[in-house]
Amino acid sequence: MTETIHSPAPHGKQMLSEQVYAHLRDAIMGGRYAPGAALKPQDLAREQGVSLAVVREALVRVVGEGLADRLPNRGFAVPSFSDQRWQDITQARRTIEPVVLRLSIEHGDLDWESRVRAAHHRLVRTPTHAPEEGEHYSAAWAEAHRVFHRTLLEGCGNPVLLETFDRMWTASELARRWAAQRDPDRDAPTEHARLEEATLARDADTAAELLTRHLTTTGAALTTTPHDC
């Protein structure tokens, strides 16, 4: 049963919009809306007990994060598996991130090495799933995963490149969760372990190759049917 949001608190519309946005983001990321499903403002306003203006503001935010599409004359919808954006993002990440990883390996210091090891340890020790969060990866694991990949690149010392990573990561988060569901036999822990090992060994060629393969596998899962995985 959907929890109803009651009357405005101190920040009024802004606070309500934030709550509806959080609800939508969690619902989409948690798989409560199927790929391609319509996000109907009127239904959401009724379910959440808020105005259409509040819902539309929240929807614009999830569209901006790549978690929904705004369709001309058709309202809002969750993106589909076949959306070309996922392959475009994968191509961009395969082009940029291995290069940044090479720079990180070249310039990263001992403190960076320690942070890479700590981020990987946190990733390994964080449960991938939480019963209360359904079948998708838990929010805690998703954050540990993000931190590990970002820490690998932080040795580059270039904030512009890291901001580019941040934007691409956010844009691809939904596809990453879908890919995991469509390729349940993938051994991601081993992929991460090998990536950490090559990075800390300062083996830039191997690390870049492993990262490229890691990103390619994620994108490929979205080009197959679930029965092919």
Side-chain angles (χ1 to χ4, degrees), residues 80-116:
S80 65
F81 284 131
S82 59
D83 196 319
Q84 180 59 36
R85 88 179 70 180
W86 309 131
Q87 302 310 318
D88 292 344
I89 293 171
T90 297
Q91 182 184 46
R93 293 188 66 193
R94 283 200 313 255
T95 301
I96 296 171
E97 289 182 34
V99 174
V100 181
L101 180 57
R102 287 179 177 276
L103 289 172
S104 205
I105 290 171
E106 179 181 354
H107 300 292
D109 57 14
L110 181 60
D111 179 65
W112 166 73
E113 288 186 3
S114 299
R115 288 188 286 112
V116 168

Side-chain angles (χ1 to χ4, degrees), residues 58-75:
L59 283 166
V60 167
R61 286 187 65 185
V62 294
V63 168
E65 291 189 350
L67 300 179
D69 291 328
R70 189 168 193 169
L71 309 175
N73 303 315
R74 291 171 55 196

Side-chain angles (χ1 to χ4, degrees), residues 30 32 37 49 88 115 134 160 167 181 183 203 217 226:
R32 293 196 290 278
D88 292 344
R115 288 188 286 112
V160 176
R167 288 194 298 271
Q181 293 296 109
D183 190 5
D203 185 345
T217 301

Side-chain angles (χ1 to χ4, degrees), residues 36-76:
L39 298 170
K40 301 178 181 179
Q42 290 184 328
D43 290 348
L44 289 165
R46 183 173 58 255
E47 291 169 3
Q48 297 299 304
V50 297
S51 68
L52 278 173
V54 167
V55 169
R56 290 185 181 279
E57 186 174 311
L59 283 166
V60 167
R61 286 187 65 185
V62 294
V63 168
E65 291 189 350
L67 300 179
D69 291 328
R70 189 168 193 169
L71 309 175
N73 303 315
R74 291 171 55 196
F76 300 86

Side-chain angles (χ1 to χ4, degrees), residues 6-13 15-16:
H6 298 289
S7 58
H11 300 293
K13 180 183 173 183
M15 176 171 282
L16 286 176

